[in-house]
Amino acid sequence: MFKTIADPADCEVRYVIRFLNAKKVKPTEIHRQLVEIYGENVMTDGMVRKWLRQFNDGRTNVHVEARSGRPSVVNNGLVAKVNEKIRENRRFTIRMLFDKFPQISKKFLHEIVTNRLNYHKLCSRWVPKMLTNVYKTK
């Protein structure tokens, strides 16, 4: 029995696919060997076939190319400005910050406040609106 390798790098698995493809091993056999060594969650049979097609079409790079996408509007300068606004008024809400920074979505503002600036919301304890005589004496 073979020793299984847990949590392999994606490029490592693609190198194995490229190597076995050069040895003219069939796709189903490649997938079976990957599952045998790397475990069930390594890669689907369809993804193995997709990479085989790309290698057969002349691809030699096993690393995924960077994709173009929408550039992030969040940068260190913007995080510093958000931090300044928070320090001006500690009783802020995300909606109030959104009014000051409309170019950033509320989701990203929340992420900046909680993940990058490490602010946490502290809530007070809820009390009944109408206190009974028992609570008034305490």
Side-chain angles (χ1 to χ4, degrees), residues 50-113:
K50 174 188 167 204
W51 280 102
L52 285 172
R53 259 185 264 116
Q54 290 182 12
F55 291 138
N56 289 334
D57 289 343
R59 181 178 178 147
T60 58
N61 187 7
V62 294
H63 299 286
V64 178
E65 290 93 16
R67 296 188 289 181
S68 63
R70 186 174 181 185
S72 177
V73 295
V74 179
N75 56 27
N76 291 337
L78 195 55
V79 172
K81 288 179 184 177
V82 169
N83 194 21
E84 287 176 23
K85 287 295 180 188
I86 291 172
R87 291 188 182 269
E88 286 176 12
N89 178 14
R90 292 285 186 157
R91 295 178 182 248
F92 70 92
T93 62
I94 298 297
R95 184 177 298 271
M96 289 167 55
L97 286 176
F98 180 69
D99 292 340
K100 304 282 185 195
F101 302 98
Q103 72 271 23
I104 309 175
S105 69
K106 291 177 191 171
K107 175 186 166 196
F108 283 123
L109 277 172
H110 185 269
E111 185 178 313
I112 289 170
V113 170

Side-chain angles (χ1 to χ4, degrees), residues 5 8-10 13 30-44 47-48:
I5 300 172
D10 292 338
V13 175
I30 292 174
H31 182 257
R32 188 194 62 75
Q33 289 182 24
L34 288 174
V35 168
E36 187 176 0
I37 297 297
Y38 294 111
E40 289 291 325
N41 296 329
V42 64
M43 188 181 286
T44 64
M47 286 300 292
V48 170

Side-chain angles (χ1 to χ4, degrees), residues 7-24:
D7 199 28
D10 292 338
C11 61
E12 175 185 351
V13 175
R14 288 184 223 122
Y15 274 120
V16 172
I17 293 171
R18 185 172 173 217
F19 173 77
L20 292 174
N21 185 42
K23 290 183 76 174
K24 303 290 185 203

